[in-house]
Amino acid sequence: MTAPTPNHPAPEPSPSAAPPAPDPYTPPLASLGAAGLASEISAELGSRLRTVRLHGFRHPAAPPPALVAVAHGSRHPGAAPAVRALLARIRALRPGLPVHLGHLELDRPLLTDTLAGLRAPADATGPAGEVGEVVLVPLLFGHGHHVTRDLPAALAAAPHLTGRTAAPLGPHPLLVEALHARLLEAGLRTGPHRGGRPAVVLAAAGSRAARSARDTARTARLLSTRLGGVPVLPAYAHPSPATAPSGDASRRPSPTAASPTVPEAVRTLVDRGHHPRDIAVAGCFAAPGHFADRCAALAPGPAAAPLGDHPALARLVLHRYDQAISARTGSGAEGIRAATVAV
């Protein structure tokens, strides 16, 4: 047979010629169908996934404990809006955190009602409605009986909940920042002017507990430092707390806890050479109320507004919540007392 050349091309195969034999190493294609295709895909994915190492895999996080802000409660028309504004700022700072409100008295919702309404969500580890977890953050400024007794008792009376009580808002540098800002807004001048020397009376509600008075005194010292050495005297809104029922010596008034009064502190500063117009009054009050109004009316000079929704106060509430979470100390009345975070 003559080999093909440029002048003699290879002849075309005749139509009757047999097709070339299939490659013995290439299997013929076959239709898999829907079920077969799904099986092939599953097998391939399984083969590939066996080579994947799961680094840093985490189970879905449990929902965080609810933050229950505990206000004292007041009939003052400005109290509830001020507390709601503070809670709105807290929610804005920590989106996704459940934030609730409960009052100890005089206003709704009462703390007992708020706790009664808190139940575990349906997708929690236990059945819906069994147990929820909460942190009570008092909108109070010292370790008085509300913080050390009433709040733990409220938790103990809510058996469907586990929880902890956070520390009160004072003393703390963030509280001092809020007090400082409110004093400047009220017109306090921190430097000498017209021969005058500024001074501040730091007013608190007062408590039966001596530790609460120590907390207020410490806040006064911190505020004095923040004001560059301006004298700050602690004082109280009333001369003595209401006397407890007879027979309960632990809840009778403490002379240390409610002295001096605001007028007494003002007189002390005047005796030290401060002109009344240079003496400002700042209050450890989260919202307007009877005591806040009384202390402002007693101010001979600038009177600072209640702390309300000041950003530093909102951050402090979250800080106390985080402190209580990090404690992670049991539950029940005794465990809750142990978990009350120290300053």
Side-chain angles (χ1 to χ4, degrees), residues 118-133 160:
L118 292 177
R119 303 283 172 177
D123 58 351
T125 54
E130 260 194 13
V131 175
E133 190 174 5
H160 62 289

Side-chain angles (χ1 to χ4, degrees), residues 65 133-136 163-167 318-331 334-343:
E133 190 174 5
V134 299
V135 174
L136 305 188
R164 290 168 291 279
T165 299
L318 288 171
H319 174 66
R320 291 306 197 203
Y321 170 86
D322 292 337
Q323 280 186 315
I325 291 296
S326 66
R328 294 285 181 188
T329 309
S331 62
E334 292 301 321
I336 292 164
R337 289 194 195 99
T340 300
V341 181
V343 177

Side-chain angles (χ1 to χ4, degrees), residues 1-201:
M1 182 174 180
T2 305
T5 65
N7 295 326
H8 298 280
E12 295 289 336
S14 64
S16 60
D23 185 349
Y25 299 103
T26 304
L29 296 176
S31 175
L32 292 175
L37 182 61
S39 177
E40 287 287 331
I41 292 173
S42 298
E44 181 67 14
L45 285 175
S47 174
R48 291 177 181 271
L49 288 174
R50 278 194 296 271
T51 67
V52 176
R53 298 183 65 185
L54 300 179
H55 292 286
F57 175 78
R58 296 179 181 178
H59 292 286
L67 187 162
V68 179
V70 184
H72 183 275
S74 172
R75 296 188 180 92
H76 193 290
V83 174
R84 286 197 298 267
L86 175 60
L87 265 59
R89 190 176 290 276
I90 292 167
R91 293 185 181 104
L93 289 172
R94 190 75 61 88
L97 175 65
V99 178
H100 305 273
L101 172 64
H103 296 89
L104 291 167
E105 56 185 62
L106 301 178
D107 210 345
R108 296 188 180 277
L110 291 173
L111 176 60
T112 52
D113 295 333
T114 297
L115 296 181
L118 292 177
R119 303 283 172 177
D123 58 351
T125 54
E130 260 194 13
V131 175
E133 190 174 5
V134 299
V135 174
L136 305 188
V137 182
L139 303 183
L140 306 170
F141 299 92
H143 288 84
H145 288 287
H146 285 318
V147 173
T148 60
R149 296 188 179 194
D150 296 341
L151 269 62
L155 271 177
H160 62 289
L161 297 174
T162 60
R164 290 168 291 279
T165 299
L169 301 183
H172 195 275
L174 284 170
L175 170 59
V176 170
E177 280 303 307
L179 289 166
H180 178 264
R182 291 292 188 245
L183 280 166
L184 296 186
E185 292 168 1
L188 175 69
R189 299 186 183 185
T190 56
H193 58 284
R194 300 190 313 276
R197 295 185 298 120
V200 174
V201 173

Side-chain angles (χ1 to χ4, degrees), residues 189-291:
R189 299 186 183 185
T190 56
H193 58 284
R194 300 190 313 276
R197 295 185 298 120
V200 174
V201 173
L202 179 64
S207 171
R208 305 178 183 97
R211 185 180 178 186
S212 180
R214 294 195 296 269
D215 290 339
T216 305
R218 185 179 172 193
T219 299
R221 292 192 297 271
L222 291 171
L223 181 58
S224 176
T225 300
R226 181 66 181 86
L227 291 168
V230 168
V232 178
L233 292 186
Y236 301 93
H238 51 95
S240 61
T243 305
S246 58
D248 185 0
S250 66
R251 295 179 67 87
R252 289 175 185 168
S254 164
T256 306
S259 178
T261 64
V262 172
E264 289 169 346
V266 169
R267 284 196 296 271
T268 297
L269 290 170
V270 170
D271 291 343
R272 294 178 183 178
H274 297 274
H275 194 281
R277 67 168 176 262
D278 298 322
I279 300 173
V281 172
C284 285
F285 303 110
H290 174 68
F291 288 156

